[in-house]
Amino acid sequence: QGVRYMTAPLNRDLFSNHMYIEHRLNLGVVDRKGVSDATFIDLMLLRDCDALVGTFGSHFSKVAYELSVGLKGFFPPFVSLDDPWTPLRPIASSCSDPQCVRG
C-alpha cells in the first residue's frame, strides 16, 4: 500500500525568518490573511492524517492532534519530538460571575 502524502501549494517564504510569526504579525510585516489561510489549511491537512509526528510543546501540534481525535472519535497514533501529549485546557476566565466556567 505504501505511504500516501498530501501537500498544499502554499508559499512558505513568509514563515522563513528568525523572528516568531506572532511578532511579525504585530509589526505588520506579513500578510495576516496569508498567515491565517496557511494555518487553517495546515491544521485541516494534519487533522486528516492517519498518524501525527509533531512537537507537543507547540499548541499548533496539540490543536491538530485534538482536531484529529474529534474527527476520528479515537486517539490516532502520534510521536511527539519533545513533550508528552496533555490535553489543552481552557484559559482561566477573569469573569467574577459564579455562572462562568473556569478552566
Side-chain angles (χ1 to χ4, degrees):
Q1 196 180 56
V3 175
R4 188 175 60 107
Y5 64 93
M6 295 171 53
T7 62
L10 299 171
N11 181 352
R12 302 278 178 187
D13 290 344
L14 62 108
F15 297 105
S16 299
N17 194 295
H18 68 280
M19 190 187 244
Y20 286 119
I21 192 72
E22 296 89 338
H23 299 291
R24 289 185 287 139
L25 281 168
N26 287 335
L27 293 172
V29 295
V30 293
D31 175 42
R32 288 182 180 273
K33 183 173 180 344
V35 170
S36 63
D37 288 351
T39 300
F40 184 75
I41 290 168
D42 285 347
L43 284 173
M44 295 304 102
L45 288 172
L46 289 168
R47 173 199 69 176
D48 292 342
C49 291
D50 294 329
L52 179 72
V53 176
T55 55
F56 286 155
S58 158
H59 278 80
F60 189 85
S61 291
K62 281 187 173 184
V63 168
Y65 187 68
E66 292 193 12
L67 287 170
S68 184
V69 170
L71 176 72
K72 294 172 177 75
F74 63 89
F75 291 89
F78 69 88
V79 173
S80 176
L81 301 175
D82 55 9
D83 297 338
W85 177 80
T86 55
L88 289 171
R89 293 175 184 80
I91 297 172
S93 171
S94 60
C95 178
S96 59
D97 184 335
Q99 298 299 317
C100 288
V101 177
R102 298 196 182 268

